[in-house]
Amino acid sequence: MTTNGDGRPQSTTTPQGTTTPQSTTTPQSTPILDQAFDAGSLYTLRAAVAAHATQAGLAPDRADDLVIAVHELAANAVRHGAGHGRLRIWRSDQALRCEITDDGVPDAEDAKDAENAENAASEAQAPEWRTEPGHGLSLVRQVADHTSLSSGRDGTSATISFALAASGPPFRLDRHQADGCLVLTVTGPLDLASAAEFSRTIADLLNENENGSVKLILDLASLTGWDSVGLAALITAQQQVSATQGARMILAGLPAHLEQHLREANLNDRFTLADSPATAAKTI
């Protein structure tokens, strides 16, 4: 299956909910962190998340992403929700799962009079957290592996999941020609440590072929994951290719969990995806 994308800006509409995180391992019943927060305690919340994420085995760059995601969600609860809330983090063998909740709307008894109280009881709903690009939830969907969000009378609950890195091959780039296309195979993690090398390679490939069309296939079947820096490098590569006359780029063999991440982050329309390099070569 091939899905088309041309590097144009994504839609400004972000869905309210996304796929519930999938895990084959049940997390611990007791959270490794259970902490209330309000506007005055976001700093201490970030420090606690950073410490627990590192201790739980999350890679340093992904721990930074987790801190960013939790902060954005907690800030949403403070600014657009009840003004305070609670964070809980569970660890499984495969991932860290975080739940950020607020406390919903004030009780109807707090309304100024009986009529307002009746209206509040029948009409009040939990304030919705903002989801526009550039705001917290849009950013969270880009850095977290999975996200879900639900709102109701009792408040808003956001759940995010960050996979714990499994052992795998080191980062490596290999290139070869196939069916008139340049195939760049990416192995290992695309992250803070490897993003610069990836970006330099893409720039070199475009410079080497500046006088002719470039048909670039990124073979990502052996890509083990990315962090926010790695994903940004991939987006930048697409933008550079789109800005180069006669150049095209297709992502081939992207692992299912990373393709799902692109969909949840509303970024899939920025790329052209193909099941394999052979399929990409037929359509590029």
Side-chain angles (χ1 to χ4, degrees), residues 215-284:
K215 296 180 179 180
L216 177 60
I217 298 173
L218 290 187
D219 182 356
L220 303 181
S222 297
L223 179 69
T224 57
W226 55 46
D227 62 7
S228 58
V229 178
L231 180 57
L234 193 62
I235 293 172
T236 299
Q238 178 62 72
Q239 292 172 338
Q240 291 173 330
V241 171
S242 298
T244 303
Q245 186 175 3
R248 288 200 66 197
M249 183 174 81
I250 293 182
L251 310 189
L254 184 66
H257 69 285
L258 296 177
E259 184 175 347
Q260 180 181 354
H261 185 190
L262 286 183
R263 290 196 303 269
E264 291 182 354
N266 215 21
L267 294 172
N268 55 308
D269 287 343
R270 295 195 176 197
F271 303 98
T272 299
L273 306 179
D275 291 338
S276 66
T279 302
K282 295 177 181 178
T283 59
I284 195 168

Coordinates of all heavy atoms in Angstrom, one line a residue, residues 215-284:
K215 N 15.7 10.7 -7.1 CA 14.7 9.8 -6.6 C 15.3 9.0 -5.4 O 16.0 8.1 -5.6 CB 14.3 8.8 -7.8 CG 13.7 9.4 -9.0 CD 13.3 8.4 -10.0 CE 12.7 9.1 -11.2 NZ 12.3 8.1 -12.3
L216 N 14.9 9.5 -4.3 CA 15.5 9.0 -3.0 C 14.5 8.1 -2.3 O 13.4 8.6 -2.0 CB 15.9 10.2 -2.1 CG 16.5 9.8 -0.8 CD1 17.7 9.0 -0.9 CD2 16.8 11.1 0.0
I217 N 14.9 6.9 -2.0 CA 14.1 6.0 -1.2 C 14.8 5.8 0.1 O 16.0 5.4 0.2 CB 13.9 4.7 -1.9 CG1 13.2 4.8 -3.2 CG2 13.2 3.7 -1.0 CD1 13.1 3.6 -4.0
L218 N 14.1 6.2 1.2 CA 14.7 5.9 2.6 C 14.1 4.5 3.0 O 12.9 4.4 3.2 CB 14.2 7.0 3.6 CG 14.8 8.3 3.4 CD1 14.4 9.2 4.6 CD2 16.4 8.3 3.3
D219 N 15.0 3.5 3.1 CA 14.6 2.2 3.5 C 14.7 2.2 5.1 O 15.8 2.2 5.6 CB 15.6 1.2 2.9 CG 15.2 -0.3 3.3 OD1 14.2 -0.4 4.1 OD2 15.9 -1.2 2.9
L220 N 13.5 2.2 5.7 CA 13.5 2.4 7.2 C 13.0 1.1 7.9 O 12.7 1.1 9.0 CB 12.5 3.5 7.5 CG 12.8 4.9 6.9 CD1 11.8 5.9 7.3 CD2 14.2 5.4 7.3
A221 N 13.1 0.0 7.2 CA 12.7 -1.3 7.8 C 13.5 -1.6 9.0 O 13.0 -2.3 9.9 CB 12.8 -2.4 6.8
S222 N 14.7 -1.2 9.1 CA 15.6 -1.5 10.2 C 15.8 -0.3 11.2 O 16.6 -0.3 12.1 CB 17.0 -1.9 9.7 OG 16.9 -3.1 9.0
L223 N 14.9 0.7 11.0 CA 14.9 1.8 11.9 C 14.3 1.4 13.2 O 13.1 0.9 13.3 CB 14.1 3.0 11.3 CG 14.0 4.3 12.2 CD1 15.4 5.0 12.3 CD2 13.0 5.2 11.6
T224 N 15.0 1.5 14.4 CA 14.5 1.0 15.6 C 13.6 2.0 16.4 O 12.9 1.7 17.3 CB 15.6 0.5 16.5 OG1 16.6 1.6 16.7 CG2 16.3 -0.7 15.9
G225 N 13.8 3.3 16.1 CA 13.0 4.3 16.8 C 13.6 5.7 16.5 O 14.6 5.9 15.8
W226 N 12.9 6.7 17.0 CA 13.4 8.1 16.9 C 13.0 8.9 18.2 O 12.1 8.4 18.9 CB 12.8 8.8 15.7 CG 11.3 8.8 15.5 CD1 10.4 9.1 16.5 CD2 10.6 8.5 14.4 NE1 9.1 9.0 16.0 CE2 9.2 8.6 14.7 CE3 10.9 8.1 13.1 CZ2 8.2 8.4 13.8 CZ3 9.9 7.9 12.2 CH2 8.6 8.0 12.5
D227 N 13.6 10.0 18.4 CA 13.2 10.9 19.5 C 12.8 12.2 18.7 O 12.7 12.2 17.5 CB 14.3 11.1 20.5 CG 15.6 11.8 19.9 OD1 15.6 12.1 18.7 OD2 16.6 11.9 20.6
S228 N 12.5 13.2 19.5 CA 12.0 14.5 18.9 C 13.0 15.1 17.9 O 12.7 15.6 16.9 CB 11.6 15.5 20.0 OG 12.7 15.8 20.8
V229 N 14.3 14.9 18.2 CA 15.4 15.5 17.4 C 15.4 14.7 16.1 O 15.6 15.2 15.0 CB 16.7 15.5 18.1 CG1 17.8 16.0 17.2 CG2 16.7 16.3 19.3
G230 N 15.4 13.3 16.2 CA 15.4 12.5 15.0 C 14.2 12.7 14.1 O 14.3 12.8 12.9
L231 N 13.0 12.8 14.7 CA 11.8 13.1 13.9 C 11.9 14.4 13.2 O 11.5 14.6 12.1 CB 10.6 13.0 14.8 CG 9.2 13.3 14.1 CD1 9.0 12.3 13.0 CD2 8.1 13.2 15.2
A232 N 12.4 15.4 13.9 CA 12.6 16.8 13.3 C 13.6 16.7 12.1 O 13.4 17.4 11.1 CB 13.1 17.8 14.3
A233 N 14.6 15.9 12.2 CA 15.6 15.7 11.1 C 14.9 15.1 9.9 O 15.1 15.4 8.8 CB 16.7 14.8 11.6
L234 N 14.0 14.1 10.2 CA 13.3 13.5 9.1 C 12.3 14.5 8.4 O 12.2 14.5 7.2 CB 12.5 12.3 9.6 CG 11.9 11.3 8.6 CD1 13.0 10.6 7.8 CD2 11.0 10.2 9.3
I235 N 11.6 15.3 9.2 CA 10.7 16.3 8.6 C 11.5 17.3 7.8 O 11.1 17.7 6.7 CB 10.0 17.0 9.7 CG1 9.0 16.0 10.4 CG2 9.2 18.2 9.2 CD1 8.3 16.6 11.6
T236 N 12.7 17.7 8.3 CA 13.5 18.7 7.6 C 14.0 18.1 6.3 O 14.1 18.8 5.3 CB 14.7 19.1 8.5 OG1 14.3 19.7 9.7 CG2 15.6 20.1 7.8
A237 N 14.4 16.8 6.3 CA 14.8 16.2 5.1 C 13.7 16.2 4.0 O 14.0 16.5 2.8 CB 15.2 14.7 5.4
Q238 N 12.5 16.0 4.4 CA 11.4 16.0 3.5 C 11.2 17.4 2.9 O 11.0 17.6 1.7 CB 10.1 15.6 4.1 CG 8.9 15.6 3.2 CD 9.0 14.7 2.0 OE1 8.9 13.5 2.2 NE2 9.2 15.3 0.9
Q239 N 11.4 18.4 3.8 CA 11.2 19.8 3.4 C 12.3 20.2 2.4 O 12.1 20.9 1.4 CB 11.3 20.7 4.6 CG 10.1 20.6 5.5 CD 10.2 21.4 6.8 OE1 11.3 21.7 7.2 NE2 9.1 21.7 7.4
Q240 N 13.5 19.7 2.6 CA 14.7 20.0 1.7 C 14.4 19.3 0.4 O 14.7 19.9 -0.7 CB 16.0 19.5 2.3 CG 16.4 20.3 3.5 CD 17.6 19.7 4.2 OE1 17.8 18.5 4.2 NE2 18.4 20.6 4.9
V241 N 14.0 18.1 0.4 CA 13.7 17.4 -0.9 C 12.6 18.1 -1.7 O 12.7 18.3 -2.9 CB 13.4 15.9 -0.6 CG1 12.8 15.2 -1.9 CG2 14.6 15.2 -0.1
S242 N 11.5 18.5 -1.0 CA 10.4 19.1 -1.6 C 10.8 20.5 -2.2 O 10.2 20.9 -3.2 CB 9.3 19.3 -0.6 OG 8.8 18.1 -0.1
A243 N 11.8 21.1 -1.6 CA 12.3 22.4 -2.1 C 13.3 22.3 -3.3 O 13.7 23.3 -3.9 CB 12.9 23.2 -1.0
T244 N 13.7 21.1 -3.6 CA 14.7 20.8 -4.6 C 14.0 20.4 -5.9 O 13.3 19.4 -5.9 CB 15.7 19.7 -4.2 OG1 16.3 20.1 -3.0 CG2 16.7 19.5 -5.3
Q245 N 14.1 21.2 -6.9 CA 13.4 20.9 -8.2 C 13.8 19.5 -8.7 O 15.0 19.2 -8.8 CB 13.7 22.0 -9.2 CG 13.0 21.8 -10.5 CD 13.2 23.0 -11.5 OE1 14.0 23.8 -11.2 NE2 12.5 23.0 -12.6
G246 N 12.8 18.7 -9.1 CA 13.0 17.4 -9.6 C 13.3 16.3 -8.6 O 13.5 15.1 -9.0
A247 N 13.3 16.6 -7.3 CA 13.7 15.6 -6.3 C 12.4 15.1 -5.7 O 11.4 15.8 -5.5 CB 14.6 16.2 -5.2
R248 N 12.4 13.8 -5.3 CA 11.3 13.1 -4.6 C 11.9 12.2 -3.6 O 13.0 11.7 -3.7 CB 10.5 12.3 -5.6 CG 9.5 13.2 -6.5 CD 8.4 12.3 -7.0 NE 7.5 11.9 -5.9 CZ 6.6 10.9 -6.0 NH1 6.5 10.2 -7.1 NH2 5.9 10.6 -4.9
M249 N 11.2 12.0 -2.5 CA 11.6 11.1 -1.5 C 10.4 10.3 -1.0 O 9.3 10.8 -0.8 CB 12.2 11.9 -0.3 CG 12.8 10.9 0.8 SD 13.6 11.9 2.1 CE 12.2 12.4 3.1
I250 N 10.7 8.9 -0.8 CA 9.6 8.0 -0.3 C 10.2 7.3 0.9 O 11.4 6.9 0.9 CB 9.2 7.0 -1.4 CG1 8.4 7.7 -2.5 CG2 8.3 5.9 -0.8 CD1 7.9 6.8 -3.6
L251 N 9.4 7.2 1.9 CA 9.8 6.4 3.1 C 9.3 5.0 2.9 O 8.1 4.8 2.7 CB 9.2 7.0 4.4 CG 9.4 8.4 4.7 CD1 8.9 8.8 6.1 CD2 10.8 8.9 4.5
A252 N 10.2 4.0 2.9 CA 9.8 2.6 2.6 C 10.0 1.7 3.8 O 11.0 1.9 4.5 CB 10.6 2.1 1.4
G253 N 9.1 0.9 4.0 CA 9.2 -0.1 5.1 C 9.2 0.4 6.5 O 9.7 -0.2 7.4
L254 N 8.6 1.6 6.7 CA 8.5 2.2 8.0 C 7.8 1.2 9.0 O 6.7 0.7 8.7 CB 7.8 3.5 8.0 CG 7.7 4.3 9.3 CD1 9.1 4.8 9.7 CD2 6.8 5.5 9.2
P255 N 8.5 0.8 10.1 CA 7.8 -0.1 11.1 C 6.5 0.4 11.5 O 6.2 1.6 11.6 CB 8.8 -0.1 12.2 CG 10.1 0.2 11.6 CD 9.8 1.2 10.5
A256 N 5.5 -0.5 11.8 CA 4.1 -0.2 12.0 C 4.0 0.8 13.2 O 3.2 1.7 13.1 CB 3.3 -1.5 12.3
H257 N 4.8 0.6 14.3 CA 4.6 1.4 15.4 C 5.0 2.9 15.1 O 4.5 3.8 15.7 CB 5.3 0.9 16.6 CG 6.8 0.9 16.6 ND1 7.5 0.0 15.8 CD2 7.7 1.7 17.2 CE1 8.8 0.3 15.9 NE2 8.9 1.3 16.8
L258 N 6.0 3.0 14.3 CA 6.4 4.4 13.9 C 5.5 5.0 12.9 O 5.2 6.2 13.0 CB 7.8 4.3 13.3 CG 8.9 3.9 14.3 CD1 10.3 3.8 13.6 CD2 9.0 4.8 15.5
E259 N 4.9 4.2 12.0 CA 3.9 4.8 11.1 C 2.6 5.2 11.9 O 2.0 6.3 11.7 CB 3.4 3.7 10.1 CG 2.4 4.3 9.1 CD 2.1 3.3 8.0 OE1 2.9 2.2 7.9 OE2 1.2 3.5 7.2
Q260 N 2.3 4.4 13.0 CA 1.2 4.8 13.9 C 1.5 6.1 14.6 O 0.7 7.0 14.7 CB 0.9 3.7 14.9 CG -0.2 4.0 15.8 CD -0.5 3.0 16.8 OE1 0.1 1.9 16.8 NE2 -1.4 3.2 17.8
H261 N 2.8 6.3 15.0 CA 3.2 7.5 15.7 C 3.0 8.7 14.7 O 2.5 9.8 15.2 CB 4.6 7.4 16.1 CG 5.2 8.6 16.9 ND1 6.5 8.7 17.1 CD2 4.5 9.6 17.4 CE1 6.7 9.9 17.8 NE2 5.5 10.4 18.0
L262 N 3.4 8.6 13.4 CA 3.1 9.7 12.5 C 1.7 10.0 12.4 O 1.3 11.2 12.3 CB 3.7 9.3 11.1 CG 5.2 9.3 10.9 CD1 5.5 8.9 9.5 CD2 5.8 10.6 11.3
R263 N 0.8 9.0 12.3 CA -0.6 9.3 12.3 C -1.1 10.0 13.5 O -1.9 10.9 13.4 CB -1.4 8.0 12.0 CG -1.2 7.3 10.7 CD -2.3 6.3 10.4 NE -2.3 5.2 11.4 CZ -1.6 4.1 11.4 NH1 -0.8 3.9 10.4 NH2 -1.7 3.2 12.4
E264 N -0.7 9.5 14.7 CA -1.2 10.1 15.9 C -0.7 11.6 16.0 O -1.4 12.4 16.6 CB -0.7 9.3 17.1 CG -1.4 7.9 17.2 CD -0.9 7.2 18.4 OE1 0.0 7.6 19.1 OE2 -1.5 6.1 18.7
A265 N 0.5 11.8 15.5 CA 1.0 13.2 15.5 C 0.5 14.0 14.4 O 0.9 15.2 14.3 CB 2.6 13.1 15.5
N266 N -0.3 13.5 13.5 CA -0.9 14.2 12.4 C 0.2 14.6 11.4 O 0.1 15.7 10.8 CB -1.7 15.4 12.9 CG -2.9 15.6 12.0 OD1 -3.4 14.7 11.3 ND2 -3.4 16.8 12.0
L267 N 1.2 13.8 11.3 CA 2.4 14.1 10.4 C 2.5 13.2 9.2 O 3.3 13.4 8.4 CB 3.7 14.0 11.2 CG 3.9 15.0 12.4 CD1 5.1 14.6 13.2 CD2 4.0 16.4 11.8
N268 N 1.6 12.2 9.1 CA 1.7 11.2 8.0 C 1.5 11.9 6.6 O 2.1 11.4 5.7 CB 0.7 10.1 8.2 CG -0.7 10.5 8.4 OD1 -1.0 11.4 9.2 ND2 -1.6 10.0 7.6
D269 N 0.7 12.9 6.6 CA 0.5 13.6 5.3 C 1.7 14.3 4.8 O 1.7 14.8 3.6 CB -0.7 14.5 5.3 CG -2.0 13.8 5.4 OD1 -2.0 12.6 5.1 OD2 -3.0 14.4 5.9
R270 N 2.7 14.5 5.6 CA 3.9 15.2 5.1 C 4.8 14.3 4.3 O 5.8 14.8 3.7 CB 4.7 15.7 6.3 CG 4.0 16.8 7.1 CD 4.9 17.5 8.0 NE 4.3 18.6 8.7 CZ 4.9 19.6 9.3 NH1 6.2 19.7 9.3 NH2 4.2 20.6 10.0
F271 N 4.6 13.0 4.3 CA 5.5 12.1 3.7 C 4.7 11.2 2.7 O 3.5 11.0 2.8 CB 6.2 11.2 4.7 CG 6.9 11.9 5.8 CD1 6.4 12.1 7.0 CD2 8.2 12.3 5.5 CE1 7.1 12.8 8.0 CE2 9.0 13.0 6.5 CZ 8.4 13.2 7.7
T272 N 5.5 10.6 1.8 CA 5.0 9.5 0.9 C 5.5 8.2 1.5 O 6.7 8.1 1.7 CB 5.4 9.7 -0.5 OG1 4.9 10.9 -1.0 CG2 4.8 8.6 -1.4
L273 N 4.6 7.3 1.8 CA 5.0 6.0 2.4 C 4.8 4.9 1.4 O 3.8 4.9 0.7 CB 4.2 5.8 3.7 CG 4.2 6.9 4.7 CD1 3.3 6.5 5.9 CD2 5.6 7.2 5.2
A274 N 5.6 3.9 1.5 CA 5.5 2.7 0.7 C 5.9 1.5 1.6 O 6.6 1.6 2.5 CB 6.4 2.7 -0.5
D275 N 5.3 0.3 1.2 CA 5.5 -0.9 2.0 C 7.0 -1.4 1.9 O 7.5 -1.9 2.9 CB 4.6 -2.0 1.5 CG 3.2 -1.8 1.9 OD1 2.9 -1.0 2.8 OD2 2.3 -2.4 1.2
S276 N 7.7 -1.1 0.8 CA 9.0 -1.7 0.6 C 9.7 -0.8 -0.4 O 9.1 -0.1 -1.2 CB 8.9 -3.1 0.1 OG 8.4 -3.2 -1.2
P277 N 11.1 -0.9 -0.5 CA 11.8 -0.2 -1.5 C 11.4 -0.6 -2.9 O 11.3 0.3 -3.8 CB 13.3 -0.6 -1.3 CG 13.3 -0.9 0.2 CD 12.0 -1.5 0.5
A278 N 11.0 -1.9 -3.1 CA 10.6 -2.3 -4.5 C 9.3 -1.6 -4.8 O 9.1 -1.1 -6.0 CB 10.4 -3.8 -4.5
T279 N 8.3 -1.5 -3.9 CA 7.1 -0.8 -4.2 C 7.3 0.7 -4.4 O 6.8 1.3 -5.3 CB 6.1 -0.9 -3.0 OG1 5.9 -2.3 -2.8 CG2 4.8 -0.2 -3.3
A280 N 8.2 1.3 -3.6 CA 8.6 2.7 -3.8 C 9.2 3.0 -5.1 O 8.8 4.0 -5.8 CB 9.5 3.1 -2.7
A281 N 10.0 2.1 -5.6 CA 10.7 2.3 -6.9 C 9.7 2.3 -8.1 O 9.9 3.0 -9.1 CB 11.7 1.2 -7.1
K282 N 8.6 1.7 -7.9 CA 7.5 1.6 -9.0 C 6.7 2.9 -9.0 O 6.0 3.2 -10.0 CB 6.6 0.4 -8.8 CG 7.3 -0.9 -8.9 CD 6.4 -2.1 -8.7 CE 7.1 -3.4 -8.8 NZ 6.2 -4.5 -8.5
T283 N 6.7 3.6 -7.9 CA 5.8 4.8 -7.8 C 6.5 6.1 -7.7 O 5.9 7.2 -7.9 CB 4.9 4.7 -6.5 OG1 5.7 4.6 -5.4 CG2 4.0 3.4 -6.6
I284 N 7.8 6.1 -7.5 CA 8.5 7.4 -7.3 C 8.7 8.1 -8.7 O 8.8 7.5 -9.7 CB 9.9 7.1 -6.6 CG1 10.5 8.5 -6.1 CG2 10.8 6.5 -7.6 CD1 11.6 8.3 -5.2

